[in-house]
Amino acid sequence: MLNPGTYGIVSTSPAWEARLPRKSPFRIELTAEEAAELHRRSVKYTLPYFEVVRAKMILMAAEGVDNDEIAARLDTRREVVSHWRKRFFKERLRGLEERPRPGRPRAFPPRAVR
């Protein structure tokens, strides 16, 4: 087997991946206000589930838990945790909010609950 990185070849063998560090470069440090808001979101059962999970991800990241462990605890993928950690690092609490999605808007409004 060639040394990964030689001639731009990247190995996909599990043995090589096990040696690569997966430590996130986005270290999360919370202010008291951010920590209080994230804790409030993480325990509020009336919020949409995705908001609760995002808050839990950031709280665990602030405790120093790595992305793989956060993903395992919250039953999600590492890439999802990495995405939200990066957005929080760059935009703080505002980064955890939903953004408008691309594409054509709905033709009909959602049906009202009767």
PDB file of all heavy atoms in Angstrom, residues 4-41:
ATOM      1  N   PRO A   4      -0.386   7.108   2.324  1.00  0.00           N
ATOM      2  CA  PRO A   4      -1.436   8.074   2.018  1.00  0.00           C
ATOM      3  C   PRO A   4      -0.846   9.475   1.918  1.00  0.00           C
ATOM      4  O   PRO A   4      -0.042   9.896   2.719  1.00  0.00           O
ATOM      5  CB  PRO A   4      -2.392   7.950   3.195  1.00  0.00           C
ATOM      6  CG  PRO A   4      -2.172   6.564   3.685  1.00  0.00           C
ATOM      7  CD  PRO A   4      -0.711   6.293   3.467  1.00  0.00           C
ATOM      8  N   GLY A   5      -1.266  10.181   0.917  1.00  0.00           N
ATOM      9  CA  GLY A   5      -0.748  11.518   0.683  1.00  0.00           C
ATOM     10  C   GLY A   5       0.296  11.543  -0.423  1.00  0.00           C
ATOM     11  O   GLY A   5       0.541  12.572  -1.020  1.00  0.00           O
ATOM     12  N   THR A   6       0.930  10.399  -0.724  1.00  0.00           N
ATOM     13  CA  THR A   6       1.909  10.341  -1.787  1.00  0.00           C
ATOM     14  C   THR A   6       1.192  10.473  -3.125  1.00  0.00           C
ATOM     15  O   THR A   6       0.256   9.748  -3.399  1.00  0.00           O
ATOM     16  CB  THR A   6       2.681   9.007  -1.746  1.00  0.00           C
ATOM     17  OG1 THR A   6       3.241   8.852  -0.453  1.00  0.00           O
ATOM     18  CG2 THR A   6       3.778   8.982  -2.789  1.00  0.00           C
ATOM     19  N   TYR A   7       1.621  11.397  -3.932  1.00  0.00           N
ATOM     20  CA  TYR A   7       1.040  11.633  -5.256  1.00  0.00           C
ATOM     21  C   TYR A   7      -0.443  11.959  -5.178  1.00  0.00           C
ATOM     22  O   TYR A   7      -1.187  11.688  -6.098  1.00  0.00           O
ATOM     23  CB  TYR A   7       1.259  10.419  -6.179  1.00  0.00           C
ATOM     24  CG  TYR A   7       2.697  10.007  -6.287  1.00  0.00           C
ATOM     25  CD1 TYR A   7       3.133   8.814  -5.748  1.00  0.00           C
ATOM     26  CD2 TYR A   7       3.627  10.834  -6.902  1.00  0.00           C
ATOM     27  CE1 TYR A   7       4.447   8.430  -5.831  1.00  0.00           C
ATOM     28  CE2 TYR A   7       4.957  10.464  -6.986  1.00  0.00           C
ATOM     29  CZ  TYR A   7       5.367   9.270  -6.452  1.00  0.00           C
ATOM     30  OH  TYR A   7       6.671   8.905  -6.529  1.00  0.00           O
ATOM     31  N   GLY A   8      -0.886  12.528  -4.084  1.00  0.00           N
ATOM     32  CA  GLY A   8      -2.290  12.901  -3.951  1.00  0.00           C
ATOM     33  C   GLY A   8      -3.226  11.744  -3.714  1.00  0.00           C
ATOM     34  O   GLY A   8      -4.432  11.896  -3.787  1.00  0.00           O
ATOM     35  N   ILE A   9      -2.691  10.557  -3.444  1.00  0.00           N
ATOM     36  CA  ILE A   9      -3.532   9.388  -3.194  1.00  0.00           C
ATOM     37  C   ILE A   9      -3.955   9.398  -1.735  1.00  0.00           C
ATOM     38  O   ILE A   9      -3.140   9.561  -0.839  1.00  0.00           O
ATOM     39  CB  ILE A   9      -2.787   8.078  -3.517  1.00  0.00           C
ATOM     40  CG1 ILE A   9      -2.418   8.055  -4.997  1.00  0.00           C
ATOM     41  CG2 ILE A   9      -3.617   6.879  -3.117  1.00  0.00           C
ATOM     42  CD1 ILE A   9      -1.518   6.903  -5.367  1.00  0.00           C
ATOM     43  N   VAL A  10      -5.228   9.229  -1.539  1.00  0.00           N
ATOM     44  CA  VAL A  10      -5.754   9.187  -0.180  1.00  0.00           C
ATOM     45  C   VAL A  10      -6.253   7.775   0.088  1.00  0.00           C
ATOM     46  O   VAL A  10      -7.056   7.244  -0.661  1.00  0.00           O
ATOM     47  CB  VAL A  10      -6.897  10.207   0.004  1.00  0.00           C
ATOM     48  CG1 VAL A  10      -7.475  10.108   1.402  1.00  0.00           C
ATOM     49  CG2 VAL A  10      -6.392  11.607  -0.260  1.00  0.00           C
ATOM     50  N   SER A  11      -5.786   7.190   1.151  1.00  0.00           N
ATOM     51  CA  SER A  11      -6.207   5.845   1.521  1.00  0.00           C
ATOM     52  C   SER A  11      -7.565   5.897   2.181  1.00  0.00           C
ATOM     53  O   SER A  11      -7.876   6.808   2.939  1.00  0.00           O
ATOM     54  CB  SER A  11      -5.201   5.239   2.493  1.00  0.00           C
ATOM     55  OG  SER A  11      -5.681   4.020   2.982  1.00  0.00           O
ATOM     56  N   THR A  12      -8.379   4.919   1.893  1.00  0.00           N
ATOM     57  CA  THR A  12      -9.677   4.813   2.555  1.00  0.00           C
ATOM     58  C   THR A  12      -9.708   3.637   3.509  1.00  0.00           C
ATOM     59  O   THR A  12     -10.765   3.202   3.934  1.00  0.00           O
ATOM     60  CB  THR A  12     -10.805   4.655   1.513  1.00  0.00           C
ATOM     61  OG1 THR A  12     -10.533   3.496   0.735  1.00  0.00           O
ATOM     62  CG2 THR A  12     -10.920   5.881   0.640  1.00  0.00           C
ATOM     63  N   SER A  13      -8.529   3.115   3.835  1.00  0.00           N
ATOM     64  CA  SER A  13      -8.496   1.966   4.733  1.00  0.00           C
ATOM     65  C   SER A  13      -8.817   2.394   6.157  1.00  0.00           C
ATOM     66  O   SER A  13      -8.412   3.458   6.598  1.00  0.00           O
ATOM     67  CB  SER A  13      -7.118   1.294   4.693  1.00  0.00           C
ATOM     68  OG  SER A  13      -6.171   2.102   5.338  1.00  0.00           O
ATOM     69  N   PRO A  14      -9.558   1.579   6.881  1.00  0.00           N
ATOM     70  CA  PRO A  14      -9.911   1.908   8.262  1.00  0.00           C
ATOM     71  C   PRO A  14      -8.686   2.076   9.162  1.00  0.00           C
ATOM     72  O   PRO A  14      -8.707   2.881  10.078  1.00  0.00           O
ATOM     73  CB  PRO A  14     -10.750   0.722   8.724  1.00  0.00           C
ATOM     74  CG  PRO A  14     -11.219   0.058   7.474  1.00  0.00           C
ATOM     75  CD  PRO A  14     -10.180   0.350   6.432  1.00  0.00           C
ATOM     76  N   ALA A  15      -7.605   1.339   8.891  1.00  0.00           N
ATOM     77  CA  ALA A  15      -6.407   1.455   9.724  1.00  0.00           C
ATOM     78  C   ALA A  15      -5.828   2.856   9.643  1.00  0.00           C
ATOM     79  O   ALA A  15      -5.382   3.423  10.638  1.00  0.00           O
ATOM     80  CB  ALA A  15      -5.369   0.425   9.297  1.00  0.00           C
ATOM     81  N   TRP A  16      -5.819   3.444   8.452  1.00  0.00           N
ATOM     82  CA  TRP A  16      -5.277   4.795   8.296  1.00  0.00           C
ATOM     83  C   TRP A  16      -6.199   5.818   8.960  1.00  0.00           C
ATOM     84  O   TRP A  16      -5.752   6.731   9.637  1.00  0.00           O
ATOM     85  CB  TRP A  16      -5.092   5.130   6.816  1.00  0.00           C
ATOM     86  CG  TRP A  16      -4.653   6.539   6.615  1.00  0.00           C
ATOM     87  CD1 TRP A  16      -5.399   7.567   6.130  1.00  0.00           C
ATOM     88  CD2 TRP A  16      -3.380   7.109   6.923  1.00  0.00           C
ATOM     89  NE1 TRP A  16      -4.680   8.722   6.107  1.00  0.00           N
ATOM     90  CE2 TRP A  16      -3.422   8.467   6.598  1.00  0.00           C
ATOM     91  CE3 TRP A  16      -2.205   6.604   7.459  1.00  0.00           C
ATOM     92  CZ2 TRP A  16      -2.343   9.320   6.774  1.00  0.00           C
ATOM     93  CZ3 TRP A  16      -1.137   7.466   7.623  1.00  0.00           C
ATOM     94  CH2 TRP A  16      -1.215   8.797   7.285  1.00  0.00           C
ATOM     95  N   GLU A  17      -7.506   5.662   8.787  1.00  0.00           N
ATOM     96  CA  GLU A  17      -8.452   6.607   9.380  1.00  0.00           C
ATOM     97  C   GLU A  17      -8.393   6.586  10.894  1.00  0.00           C
ATOM     98  O   GLU A  17      -8.611   7.588  11.542  1.00  0.00           O
ATOM     99  CB  GLU A  17      -9.865   6.297   8.896  1.00  0.00           C
ATOM    100  CG  GLU A  17     -10.074   6.648   7.440  1.00  0.00           C
ATOM    101  CD  GLU A  17     -11.457   6.284   6.960  1.00  0.00           C
ATOM    102  OE1 GLU A  17     -12.278   5.815   7.774  1.00  0.00           O
ATOM    103  OE2 GLU A  17     -11.712   6.452   5.763  1.00  0.00           O
ATOM    104  N   ALA A  18      -8.091   5.443  11.476  1.00  0.00           N
ATOM    105  CA  ALA A  18      -8.028   5.337  12.931  1.00  0.00           C
ATOM    106  C   ALA A  18      -6.884   6.167  13.494  1.00  0.00           C
ATOM    107  O   ALA A  18      -6.940   6.609  14.636  1.00  0.00           O
ATOM    108  CB  ALA A  18      -7.870   3.880  13.345  1.00  0.00           C
ATOM    109  N   ARG A  19      -5.861   6.405  12.698  1.00  0.00           N
ATOM    110  CA  ARG A  19      -4.720   7.187  13.173  1.00  0.00           C
ATOM    111  C   ARG A  19      -4.909   8.681  12.987  1.00  0.00           C
ATOM    112  O   ARG A  19      -4.165   9.478  13.545  1.00  0.00           O
ATOM    113  CB  ARG A  19      -3.450   6.743  12.452  1.00  0.00           C
ATOM    114  CG  ARG A  19      -3.040   5.339  12.824  1.00  0.00           C
ATOM    115  CD  ARG A  19      -1.774   4.981  12.154  1.00  0.00           C
ATOM    116  NE  ARG A  19      -2.007   4.972  10.707  1.00  0.00           N
ATOM    117  CZ  ARG A  19      -1.225   4.399   9.829  1.00  0.00           C
ATOM    118  NH1 ARG A  19      -0.132   3.787  10.215  1.00  0.00           N
ATOM    119  NH2 ARG A  19      -1.504   4.406   8.540  1.00  0.00           N
ATOM    120  N   LEU A  20      -5.874   9.086  12.166  1.00  0.00           N
ATOM    121  CA  LEU A  20      -6.102  10.510  11.924  1.00  0.00           C
ATOM    122  C   LEU A  20      -6.857  11.126  13.097  1.00  0.00           C
ATOM    123  O   LEU A  20      -7.851  10.569  13.556  1.00  0.00           O
ATOM    124  CB  LEU A  20      -6.910  10.714  10.641  1.00  0.00           C
ATOM    125  CG  LEU A  20      -6.223  10.371   9.346  1.00  0.00           C
ATOM    126  CD1 LEU A  20      -7.191  10.550   8.183  1.00  0.00           C
ATOM    127  CD2 LEU A  20      -5.006  11.232   9.132  1.00  0.00           C
ATOM    128  N   PRO A  21      -6.426  12.262  13.572  1.00  0.00           N
ATOM    129  CA  PRO A  21      -7.167  12.910  14.655  1.00  0.00           C
ATOM    130  C   PRO A  21      -8.479  13.487  14.132  1.00  0.00           C
ATOM    131  O   PRO A  21      -8.547  13.960  13.009  1.00  0.00           O
ATOM    132  CB  PRO A  21      -6.217  14.015  15.117  1.00  0.00           C
ATOM    133  CG  PRO A  21      -5.380  14.312  13.934  1.00  0.00           C
ATOM    134  CD  PRO A  21      -5.244  13.017  13.182  1.00  0.00           C
ATOM    135  N   ARG A  22      -9.496  13.409  14.927  1.00  0.00           N
ATOM    136  CA  ARG A  22     -10.792  13.957  14.536  1.00  0.00           C
ATOM    137  C   ARG A  22     -11.179  15.100  15.452  1.00  0.00           C
ATOM    138  O   ARG A  22     -12.348  15.377  15.650  1.00  0.00           O
ATOM    139  CB  ARG A  22     -11.852  12.877  14.592  1.00  0.00           C
ATOM    140  CG  ARG A  22     -11.662  11.865  13.518  1.00  0.00           C
ATOM    141  CD  ARG A  22     -12.973  11.318  13.141  1.00  0.00           C
ATOM    142  NE  ARG A  22     -12.776  10.368  12.066  1.00  0.00           N
ATOM    143  CZ  ARG A  22     -13.722   9.978  11.288  1.00  0.00           C
ATOM    144  NH1 ARG A  22     -14.926  10.421  11.458  1.00  0.00           N
ATOM    145  NH2 ARG A  22     -13.485   9.122  10.337  1.00  0.00           N
ATOM    146  N   LYS A  23     -10.216  15.743  16.027  1.00  0.00           N
ATOM    147  CA  LYS A  23     -10.488  16.858  16.927  1.00  0.00           C
ATOM    148  C   LYS A  23     -10.937  18.054  16.106  1.00  0.00           C
ATOM    149  O   LYS A  23     -10.303  18.413  15.120  1.00  0.00           O
ATOM    150  CB  LYS A  23      -9.228  17.191  17.711  1.00  0.00           C
ATOM    151  CG  LYS A  23      -9.468  18.132  18.840  1.00  0.00           C
ATOM    152  CD  LYS A  23      -8.829  17.570  20.081  1.00  0.00           C
ATOM    153  CE  LYS A  23      -8.989  18.540  21.214  1.00  0.00           C
ATOM    154  NZ  LYS A  23     -10.057  18.150  22.092  1.00  0.00           N
ATOM    155  N   SER A  24     -12.029  18.653  16.502  1.00  0.00           N
ATOM    156  CA  SER A  24     -12.559  19.795  15.764  1.00  0.00           C
ATOM    157  C   SER A  24     -11.686  21.026  15.976  1.00  0.00           C
ATOM    158  O   SER A  24     -11.269  21.318  17.101  1.00  0.00           O
ATOM    159  CB  SER A  24     -13.981  20.099  16.223  1.00  0.00           C
ATOM    160  OG  SER A  24     -14.454  21.263  15.579  1.00  0.00           O
ATOM    161  N   PRO A  25     -11.441  21.784  14.919  1.00  0.00           N
ATOM    162  CA  PRO A  25     -10.689  23.026  15.080  1.00  0.00           C
ATOM    163  C   PRO A  25     -11.549  24.143  15.673  1.00  0.00           C
ATOM    164  O   PRO A  25     -11.046  25.201  16.031  1.00  0.00           O
ATOM    165  CB  PRO A  25     -10.264  23.374  13.649  1.00  0.00           C
ATOM    166  CG  PRO A  25     -11.307  22.754  12.795  1.00  0.00           C
ATOM    167  CD  PRO A  25     -11.734  21.505  13.522  1.00  0.00           C
ATOM    168  N   PHE A  26     -12.856  23.906  15.776  1.00  0.00           N
ATOM    169  CA  PHE A  26     -13.783  24.924  16.279  1.00  0.00           C
ATOM    170  C   PHE A  26     -14.058  24.680  17.758  1.00  0.00           C
ATOM    171  O   PHE A  26     -14.978  23.963  18.139  1.00  0.00           O
ATOM    172  CB  PHE A  26     -15.082  24.901  15.466  1.00  0.00           C
ATOM    173  CG  PHE A  26     -14.841  25.110  14.002  1.00  0.00           C
ATOM    174  CD1 PHE A  26     -14.936  24.054  13.117  1.00  0.00           C
ATOM    175  CD2 PHE A  26     -14.489  26.355  13.518  1.00  0.00           C
ATOM    176  CE1 PHE A  26     -14.696  24.234  11.772  1.00  0.00           C
ATOM    177  CE2 PHE A  26     -14.248  26.551  12.169  1.00  0.00           C
ATOM    178  CZ  PHE A  26     -14.349  25.491  11.294  1.00  0.00           C
ATOM    179  N   ARG A  27     -13.238  25.281  18.597  1.00  0.00           N
ATOM    180  CA  ARG A  27     -13.370  25.130  20.046  1.00  0.00           C
ATOM    181  C   ARG A  27     -14.473  26.058  20.545  1.00  0.00           C
ATOM    182  O   ARG A  27     -14.433  27.264  20.282  1.00  0.00           O
ATOM    183  CB  ARG A  27     -12.038  25.459  20.708  1.00  0.00           C
ATOM    184  CG  ARG A  27     -12.037  25.170  22.158  1.00  0.00           C
ATOM    185  CD  ARG A  27     -10.653  25.265  22.731  1.00  0.00           C
ATOM    186  NE  ARG A  27     -10.766  25.302  24.170  1.00  0.00           N
ATOM    187  CZ  ARG A  27      -9.928  25.907  24.962  1.00  0.00           C
ATOM    188  NH1 ARG A  27      -8.869  26.488  24.456  1.00  0.00           N
ATOM    189  NH2 ARG A  27     -10.111  25.905  26.248  1.00  0.00           N
ATOM    190  N   ILE A  28     -15.416  25.516  21.252  1.00  0.00           N
ATOM    191  CA  ILE A  28     -16.577  26.280  21.708  1.00  0.00           C
ATOM    192  C   ILE A  28     -16.371  26.727  23.155  1.00  0.00           C
ATOM    193  O   ILE A  28     -16.139  25.911  24.032  1.00  0.00           O
ATOM    194  CB  ILE A  28     -17.871  25.444  21.609  1.00  0.00           C
ATOM    195  CG1 ILE A  28     -18.101  24.925  20.187  1.00  0.00           C
ATOM    196  CG2 ILE A  28     -19.072  26.227  22.110  1.00  0.00           C
ATOM    197  CD1 ILE A  28     -18.319  25.981  19.148  1.00  0.00           C
ATOM    198  N   GLU A  29     -16.445  28.027  23.353  1.00  0.00           N
ATOM    199  CA  GLU A  29     -16.437  28.617  24.694  1.00  0.00           C
ATOM    200  C   GLU A  29     -17.670  29.491  24.795  1.00  0.00           C
ATOM    201  O   GLU A  29     -17.866  30.385  23.980  1.00  0.00           O
ATOM    202  CB  GLU A  29     -15.164  29.419  24.922  1.00  0.00           C
ATOM    203  CG  GLU A  29     -13.919  28.550  24.953  1.00  0.00           C
ATOM    204  CD  GLU A  29     -12.652  29.345  25.226  1.00  0.00           C
ATOM    205  OE1 GLU A  29     -12.752  30.528  25.622  1.00  0.00           O
ATOM    206  OE2 GLU A  29     -11.577  28.769  25.034  1.00  0.00           O
ATOM    207  N   LEU A  30     -18.491  29.232  25.805  1.00  0.00           N
ATOM    208  CA  LEU A  30     -19.763  29.928  25.955  1.00  0.00           C
ATOM    209  C   LEU A  30     -19.689  31.056  26.971  1.00  0.00           C
ATOM    210  O   LEU A  30     -19.001  30.932  27.985  1.00  0.00           O
ATOM    211  CB  LEU A  30     -20.845  28.945  26.405  1.00  0.00           C
ATOM    212  CG  LEU A  30     -21.125  27.759  25.498  1.00  0.00           C
ATOM    213  CD1 LEU A  30     -22.123  26.820  26.162  1.00  0.00           C
ATOM    214  CD2 LEU A  30     -21.641  28.221  24.153  1.00  0.00           C
ATOM    215  N   THR A  31     -20.432  32.128  26.691  1.00  0.00           N
ATOM    216  CA  THR A  31     -20.636  33.156  27.705  1.00  0.00           C
ATOM    217  C   THR A  31     -21.711  32.632  28.652  1.00  0.00           C
ATOM    218  O   THR A  31     -22.406  31.651  28.343  1.00  0.00           O
ATOM    219  CB  THR A  31     -21.102  34.478  27.070  1.00  0.00           C
ATOM    220  OG1 THR A  31     -22.390  34.269  26.474  1.00  0.00           O
ATOM    221  CG2 THR A  31     -20.117  34.986  26.026  1.00  0.00           C
ATOM    222  N   ALA A  32     -21.885  33.284  29.768  1.00  0.00           N
ATOM    223  CA  ALA A  32     -22.918  32.871  30.728  1.00  0.00           C
ATOM    224  C   ALA A  32     -24.307  32.966  30.100  1.00  0.00           C
ATOM    225  O   ALA A  32     -25.150  32.089  30.310  1.00  0.00           O
ATOM    226  CB  ALA A  32     -22.845  33.722  31.984  1.00  0.00           C
ATOM    227  N   GLU A  33     -24.538  34.018  29.318  1.00  0.00           N
ATOM    228  CA  GLU A  33     -25.838  34.202  28.678  1.00  0.00           C
ATOM    229  C   GLU A  33     -26.106  33.107  27.639  1.00  0.00           C
ATOM    230  O   GLU A  33     -27.209  32.569  27.556  1.00  0.00           O
ATOM    231  CB  GLU A  33     -25.940  35.577  28.006  1.00  0.00           C
ATOM    232  CG  GLU A  33     -25.890  36.741  28.960  1.00  0.00           C
ATOM    233  CD  GLU A  33     -24.466  37.119  29.377  1.00  0.00           C
ATOM    234  OE1 GLU A  33     -23.501  36.768  28.655  1.00  0.00           O
ATOM    235  OE2 GLU A  33     -24.324  37.754  30.434  1.00  0.00           O
ATOM    236  N   GLU A  34     -25.079  32.775  26.840  1.00  0.00           N
ATOM    237  CA  GLU A  34     -25.236  31.716  25.839  1.00  0.00           C
ATOM    238  C   GLU A  34     -25.493  30.372  26.503  1.00  0.00           C
ATOM    239  O   GLU A  34     -26.366  29.617  26.070  1.00  0.00           O
ATOM    240  CB  GLU A  34     -23.988  31.617  24.957  1.00  0.00           C
ATOM    241  CG  GLU A  34     -23.822  32.768  23.994  1.00  0.00           C
ATOM    242  CD  GLU A  34     -22.483  32.742  23.283  1.00  0.00           C
ATOM    243  OE1 GLU A  34     -21.520  32.165  23.821  1.00  0.00           O
ATOM    244  OE2 GLU A  34     -22.408  33.319  22.173  1.00  0.00           O
ATOM    245  N   ALA A  35     -24.752  30.086  27.559  1.00  0.00           N
ATOM    246  CA  ALA A  35     -24.932  28.816  28.264  1.00  0.00           C
ATOM    247  C   ALA A  35     -26.345  28.716  28.841  1.00  0.00           C
ATOM    248  O   ALA A  35     -26.987  27.667  28.743  1.00  0.00           O
ATOM    249  CB  ALA A  35     -23.892  28.670  29.367  1.00  0.00           C
ATOM    250  N   ALA A  36     -26.826  29.807  29.417  1.00  0.00           N
ATOM    251  CA  ALA A  36     -28.174  29.804  29.990  1.00  0.00           C
ATOM    252  C   ALA A  36     -29.224  29.598  28.895  1.00  0.00           C
ATOM    253  O   ALA A  36     -30.169  28.812  29.075  1.00  0.00           O
ATOM    254  CB  ALA A  36     -28.432  31.113  30.732  1.00  0.00           C
ATOM    255  N   GLU A  37     -29.074  30.280  27.775  1.00  0.00           N
ATOM    256  CA  GLU A  37     -30.037  30.138  26.677  1.00  0.00           C
ATOM    257  C   GLU A  37     -30.008  28.734  26.082  1.00  0.00           C
ATOM    258  O   GLU A  37     -31.050  28.147  25.812  1.00  0.00           O
ATOM    259  CB  GLU A  37     -29.754  31.181  25.593  1.00  0.00           C
ATOM    260  CG  GLU A  37     -30.616  31.049  24.357  1.00  0.00           C
ATOM    261  CD  GLU A  37     -32.108  31.210  24.607  1.00  0.00           C
ATOM    262  OE1 GLU A  37     -32.505  31.794  25.642  1.00  0.00           O
ATOM    263  OE2 GLU A  37     -32.889  30.724  23.759  1.00  0.00           O
ATOM    264  N   LEU A  38     -28.818  28.180  25.877  1.00  0.00           N
ATOM    265  CA  LEU A  38     -28.716  26.832  25.328  1.00  0.00           C
ATOM    266  C   LEU A  38     -29.290  25.794  26.291  1.00  0.00           C
ATOM    267  O   LEU A  38     -29.953  24.847  25.868  1.00  0.00           O
ATOM    268  CB  LEU A  38     -27.266  26.505  24.979  1.00  0.00           C
ATOM    269  CG  LEU A  38     -26.727  27.237  23.756  1.00  0.00           C
ATOM    270  CD1 LEU A  38     -25.221  27.058  23.659  1.00  0.00           C
ATOM    271  CD2 LEU A  38     -27.412  26.770  22.488  1.00  0.00           C
ATOM    272  N   HIS A  39     -29.044  25.972  27.579  1.00  0.00           N
ATOM    273  CA  HIS A  39     -29.615  25.050  28.565  1.00  0.00           C
ATOM    274  C   HIS A  39     -31.140  25.150  28.547  1.00  0.00           C
ATOM    275  O   HIS A  39     -31.840  24.132  28.588  1.00  0.00           O
ATOM    276  CB  HIS A  39     -29.081  25.334  29.962  1.00  0.00           C
ATOM    277  CG  HIS A  39     -29.649  24.412  30.988  1.00  0.00           C
ATOM    278  ND1 HIS A  39     -29.341  23.066  31.026  1.00  0.00           N
ATOM    279  CD2 HIS A  39     -30.555  24.631  31.974  1.00  0.00           C
ATOM    280  CE1 HIS A  39     -30.018  22.506  32.013  1.00  0.00           C
ATOM    281  NE2 HIS A  39     -30.769  23.431  32.595  1.00  0.00           N
ATOM    282  N   ARG A  40     -31.669  26.365  28.459  1.00  0.00           N
ATOM    283  CA  ARG A  40     -33.121  26.564  28.394  1.00  0.00           C
ATOM    284  C   ARG A  40     -33.699  25.839  27.188  1.00  0.00           C
ATOM    285  O   ARG A  40     -34.702  25.141  27.283  1.00  0.00           O
ATOM    286  CB  ARG A  40     -33.448  28.056  28.303  1.00  0.00           C
ATOM    287  CG  ARG A  40     -34.942  28.362  28.330  1.00  0.00           C
ATOM    288  CD  ARG A  40     -35.247  29.806  27.969  1.00  0.00           C
ATOM    289  NE  ARG A  40     -34.955  30.108  26.585  1.00  0.00           N
ATOM    290  CZ  ARG A  40     -35.741  29.776  25.544  1.00  0.00           C
ATOM    291  NH1 ARG A  40     -36.844  29.107  25.739  1.00  0.00           N
ATOM    292  NH2 ARG A  40     -35.415  30.108  24.310  1.00  0.00           N
ATOM    293  N   ARG A  41     -33.023  25.965  26.035  1.00  0.00           N
ATOM    294  CA  ARG A  41     -33.501  25.299  24.821  1.00  0.00           C
ATOM    295  C   ARG A  41     -33.396  23.775  24.933  1.00  0.00           C
ATOM    296  O   ARG A  41     -34.248  23.052  24.420  1.00  0.00           O
ATOM    297  CB  ARG A  41     -32.684  25.738  23.605  1.00  0.00           C
ATOM    298  CG  ARG A  41     -32.927  27.161  23.185  1.00  0.00           C
ATOM    299  CD  ARG A  41     -32.109  27.484  21.951  1.00  0.00           C
ATOM    300  NE  ARG A  41     -32.130  28.908  21.648  1.00  0.00           N
ATOM    301  CZ  ARG A  41     -31.600  29.437  20.564  1.00  0.00           C
ATOM    302  NH1 ARG A  41     -31.000  28.669  19.671  1.00  0.00           N
ATOM    303  NH2 ARG A  41     -31.652  30.743  20.367  1.00  0.00           N
TER     304      ARG A  41
END
